[in-house]
Amino acid sequence: MDTGRVGRRIAYWREHRGLTQADFGRLMGQSRRWVQDLEGGQRQTDPRLSVLQRAAEILRIPLERLVTDPAPTSAPLRLPADLAALVDSLHHPAQRPRTSVHLPELWRRLGFCCQAWAACHYTACARDLPAILADAHAAAGECAEGSLLLSRAYQLTASLLFKYGQLGRTPGVLAADRALAAADTAGDPVAIGASARRVARGLIHQQRHAAAAAYATITATELRADLEQGGPAGLSTLGMLYLVAAVGATGAGRSPASVAEAAERLGEAEEVAQRQGDDQDADYTAFGPTNVQLHEVDVLLRLDDAWSALEAAQRIAPGALAGLGRERRARHLVTNARASTLTRRREDATRDLLEAEKLAPEEVRRPAVVGLVRELMMLVPNPDTSLRGLAQRCGLPA
């Protein structure tokens, strides 16, 4: 075994998962120096199979990726043009005519963008947001409702940019912060909670999982009384805060403490969902009992338990999934595909990705999902025409 090549593969996947050498060493039960030596190919003996198996579990990849595949490479990625223009508008707002903004019409335009996002028409959403943000800034200077609308526009901007991972992380964090500032100005608890959820997501994208979990939990506790009085939108916002806290709790990897914390946050979200009743789509959250189940699948996968994630997915009633929007259903299919890839059920993974593409093509064109398609192409010895076609449509060599 070429220890140098194994070390380079480990280094690649460690960085891809957002782990420092110290983080990875702690999860492996080793020192940072041990990780440096391993990645540098300086250890004189081949790593034991048990060590490689543990490394593969922590990195959430099949073992063969560490011992047989060449070190992965990837071409530079760029945001789609409309998303890049949206990012530019955060720093150079569009100049709008100095006329009074008609709030009902502005809410209508923003509602169209929210619907486009929920249907996974991300470029259409991004195309209209710069002008909406410019008008919303003008409206915010006139009344509290304008600040509320501005917050909602920035919340959507943050959610959209976070879809693009590292490419959208920094501007997404900026948008989430502006959403929270506008919500504070408006003084609306639901807007504050919804914006805080985007701030927590931004912390997760910055690999600050513990901070995200604590922030979302504290915000939920502080706002709970007001959100419980806020109708479906308030309860949905409260429940989503607990769900993002559950995701944040998984950041340190699988341990008794992380499993317990994530389960507690999921339990709190489930309690809110039971109070709310049936699945609802207040503020485009799709929050309800089914969304809690979907997050359980995601949390189990993040806690390196892909088999349990697939078992949890089997417990979700197909009829309940059919009642959700395209964005949520497509995202769940991608999560299932990841779990199937890790458990060597690659035909299932391909099937779920193809179904997600049929439902929401732009969801499957996101960098993280394209990376999963690339992994499948490398893992499957003889990809069939359906997988090759998917790879080609994602811009990958097939």
Side-chain angles (χ1 to χ4, degrees):
M1 184 186 302
D2 186 335
T3 57
R5 294 181 68 182
V6 170
R8 288 193 295 274
R9 293 174 196 135
I10 289 175
Y12 171 86
W13 287 107
R14 173 184 59 74
E15 293 173 358
H16 190 65
R17 299 303 186 205
L19 297 171
T20 65
Q21 288 183 329
D23 293 334
F24 183 65
R26 186 163 53 252
L27 294 170
M28 289 290 294
Q30 301 287 349
S31 66
R32 179 174 176 273
R33 178 57 183 271
W34 182 90
V35 176
Q36 286 180 318
D37 289 346
L38 178 65
E39 293 182 353
Q42 298 170 9
R43 301 188 65 78
Q44 297 303 310
T45 58
D46 290 347
R48 296 192 305 274
L49 180 60
S50 61
V51 172
L52 294 179
Q53 287 175 327
R54 176 59 181 157
E57 290 173 1
I58 290 170
L59 297 172
R60 304 198 300 278
I61 58 173
L63 175 61
E64 57 260 38
R65 295 305 299 272
L66 296 182
V67 298
T68 61
D69 292 334
T73 58
S74 58
L77 297 175
R78 293 181 176 84
L79 284 170
D82 291 307
L83 271 294
L86 174 59
V87 170
D88 290 342
S89 77
L90 298 181
H91 305 285
H92 305 287
Q95 296 299 314
R96 307 293 290 176
R98 293 187 177 182
T99 58
S100 180
V101 177
H102 185 55
L103 282 175
E105 173 62 16
L106 190 52
W107 277 114
R108 186 197 65 77
R109 289 162 55 198
L110 179 58
F112 170 81
C113 284
C114 291
Q115 291 170 4
W117 181 87
C120 301
H121 297 315
Y122 301 139
T123 53
C125 180
R127 193 176 303 128
D128 289 350
L129 271 173
I132 291 173
L133 286 169
D135 286 346
H137 271 286
E142 298 176 359
C143 61
E145 185 183 356
S147 295
L148 185 61
L149 193 152
L150 179 63
S151 175
R152 187 66 189 86
Y154 272 125
Q155 290 170 40
L156 178 59
T157 299
S159 293
L160 180 59
L161 291 172
F162 287 150
K163 283 282 185 183
Y164 291 84
Q166 186 176 357
L167 295 173
R169 178 179 62 197
T170 299
V173 168
L174 174 62
D177 185 66
R178 290 182 181 176
L180 184 58
D184 282 333
T185 299
D188 184 278
V190 174
I192 293 171
S195 300
R197 175 163 65 88
R198 272 71 175 199
V199 171
R201 283 286 180 187
L203 290 169
I204 290 173
H205 280 277
Q206 296 174 83
Q207 306 299 325
R208 299 171 62 190
H209 293 82
Y215 176 71
T217 303
I218 291 170
T219 302
T221 301
E222 292 178 344
L223 294 178
R224 180 160 190 143
D226 289 328
L227 294 177
E228 287 176 335
Q229 300 300 316
L235 286 175
S236 294
T237 297
L238 178 62
M240 292 301 294
L241 281 168
Y242 286 128
L243 290 180
V244 76
V247 173
T250 68
R254 188 175 185 85
S255 70
S258 62
V259 170
E261 183 181 355
E264 184 176 359
R265 299 289 90 80
L266 286 172
E268 289 167 326
E270 184 177 11
E271 183 269 331
V272 175
Q274 293 302 325
R275 289 187 56 187
Q276 178 179 274
D278 296 335
D279 296 319
Q280 299 190 28
D281 198 24
D283 198 22
Y284 300 92
T285 61
F287 181 75
T290 304
N291 204 349
V292 174
Q293 289 181 289
L294 299 186
H295 275 77
E296 179 187 8
V297 176
D298 184 45
V299 163
L300 287 168
L301 181 59
R302 290 170 182 268
L303 288 172
D304 304 320
D305 195 348
W307 286 109
S308 293
L310 291 173
E311 291 173 358
Q314 290 296 317
R315 294 194 292 269
I316 303 173
L321 285 172
L324 299 179
R326 291 191 178 195
E327 188 273 341
R328 199 62 196 85
R329 282 184 284 156
R331 194 147 49 99
H332 176 60
L333 286 167
V334 171
T335 300
N336 281 353
R338 292 188 189 283
S340 294
T341 300
L342 290 171
T343 54
R344 301 173 185 267
R345 300 168 64 171
R346 292 154 192 167
E347 290 183 1
D348 290 348
T350 301
R351 180 202 64 213
D352 285 341
L353 286 172
L354 289 170
E355 187 176 345
E357 183 191 34
K358 186 184 301 182
L359 190 66
E362 288 192 55
E363 179 69 18
V364 179
R365 304 295 184 266
R366 297 189 300 114
V369 187
V370 172
L372 177 58
V373 176
R374 181 186 294 110
E375 288 183 35
L376 272 174
M377 285 293 293
M378 297 175 71
L379 284 170
V380 177
N382 297 297
D384 61 18
T385 55
S386 61
L387 180 55
R388 288 183 180 277
L390 175 62
Q392 288 177 332
R393 293 190 295 277
C394 288
L396 299 172

